[in-house]
Amino acid sequence: SSLLLMSGVVVTVGLCRRLARRRLRSRPLLFAFLVEMFSTFQICACTNELSLLGNVEPKPHTALTLTYGFTVLHGLTLAGSTCNPCGTLQPVWGGGTSLRMGGLKIAAQFMAAVLARVFMHFIWSLEMAEPHLGALSQGCSSPMQTTEMQAFCIELLFSVVFQLAVLQAESVNPKYRVHLIALLITMLVYAGGNLTGAIFNPALAFSLHADCFYDKFLSYSLVYWLAPCLGKFLILYVF
């Protein structure tokens, strides 16, 4: 049921992106906003569902396999979208994208994060699959299983590694690049998923753990918003 749900989200988002591409080419701002929102919605909705499958046996092989598989799927179906506020900052910093366009895309990403959370909570409330039972009663299921300083350093390090790998992979054939990036993300999730969740995406972190941001806004914004952005700026400064 979970796989069918996530596949349905991917297909629906693909249709929406195609429709926007056909109808809104003459309105670049609205087109960019909607495409970024649809794409980020797909990643946030699927990752919300994947977060419920972490305890499926055999552990952690099932969760890691699904993480790799859907990361490849996202890479193949969401070409041209960043789906990450940190990634949107790069062309803005380099002058390739206007501040207005960058701000519009980041707004779309966070709007999609909220919509994906609302949508998935509605689906979970229907309790159509076994993993959905009791999913809404967890509240702040904190992914931070270490000190705030260590969590900050881990997310910062993971962001630097990920952004550096993305830059280095630009010269790789696209059909191989998506697998390399997916493999790296899976390795990072395996290495730090039990400590911080290994998210390094501010919009995705908010979609997954909005309740925790409400309860401990300062610590969670430092770890899941500031650390990834700082990692991105470190890479931009070095290169």
Side-chain angles (χ1 to χ4, degrees):
S1 298
S2 293
L3 292 176
L4 287 175
L5 171 61
M6 290 185 285
S7 300
V9 169
V10 172
V11 171
T12 303
V13 167
L15 293 175
C16 291
R17 280 168 54 94
R18 179 174 297 183
L19 182 62
R21 190 174 290 109
R22 288 181 177 178
R23 300 294 180 88
L24 299 175
R25 277 296 190 181
S26 60
R27 306 177 65 180
L29 287 179
L30 181 58
F31 171 74
F33 179 86
L34 289 178
V35 168
E36 195 66 34
M37 185 180 71
F38 292 145
S39 303
T40 308
F41 177 89
Q42 174 177 314
I43 289 181
C44 290
C46 290
T47 308
N48 268 280
E49 185 67 18
L50 283 173
S51 67
L52 298 182
L53 305 178
N55 293 322
V56 174
E57 297 292 346
K59 296 189 296 185
H61 305 84
T62 300
L64 293 175
T65 300
L66 290 173
T67 298
Y68 174 81
F70 273 91
T71 303
V72 171
L73 185 60
H74 295 325
L76 293 174
T77 59
L78 303 179
S81 300
T82 58
C83 309
N84 187 336
C86 299
T88 305
L89 292 174
Q90 179 179 349
V92 174
W93 178 275
T97 299
S98 67
L99 184 62
R100 181 184 182 186
M101 178 66 78
L104 196 67
K105 287 186 176 182
I106 292 175
Q109 290 158 2
F110 276 99
M111 182 177 294
V114 174
L115 290 175
R117 182 175 178 81
V118 172
F119 172 74
M120 293 309 299
H121 278 212
F122 169 73
I123 295 296
W124 294 346
S125 68
L126 302 179
E127 298 185 341
M128 296 184 298
E130 184 177 349
H132 298 171
L133 301 177
L136 297 179
S137 62
Q138 296 178 0
C140 172
S141 53
S142 175
M144 200 186 304
Q145 302 300 316
T146 183
T147 65
E148 292 179 8
M149 181 55 66
Q150 289 178 338
F152 180 89
C153 293
I154 291 172
E155 287 293 310
L156 174 62
L157 175 63
F158 284 3
S159 178
V160 168
V161 171
F162 176 72
Q163 301 297 341
L164 182 61
V166 170
L167 287 175
Q168 294 298 319
E170 287 181 351
S171 59
V172 179
N173 189 308
K175 66 180 180 180
Y176 301 125
R177 183 193 310 155
V178 65
H179 290 279
L180 291 175
I181 297 300
L183 180 61
L184 173 64
I185 291 176
T186 304
M187 292 172 62
L188 293 177
V189 170
Y190 177 72
N194 62 324
L195 296 175
T196 66
I199 304 172
F200 47 90
N201 182 333
L204 178 59
F206 186 71
S207 183
L208 291 173
H209 306 291
D211 292 335
C212 299
F213 280 92
Y214 299 149
D215 295 342
K216 301 177 181 179
F217 177 78
L218 181 59
S219 61
Y220 273 74
S221 60
L222 287 174
V223 172
Y224 295 105
W225 288 355
L226 181 61
C229 292
L230 181 58
K232 182 64 176 181
F233 279 116
L234 285 175
I235 292 298
L236 291 178
Y237 178 75
V238 170
F239 282 87

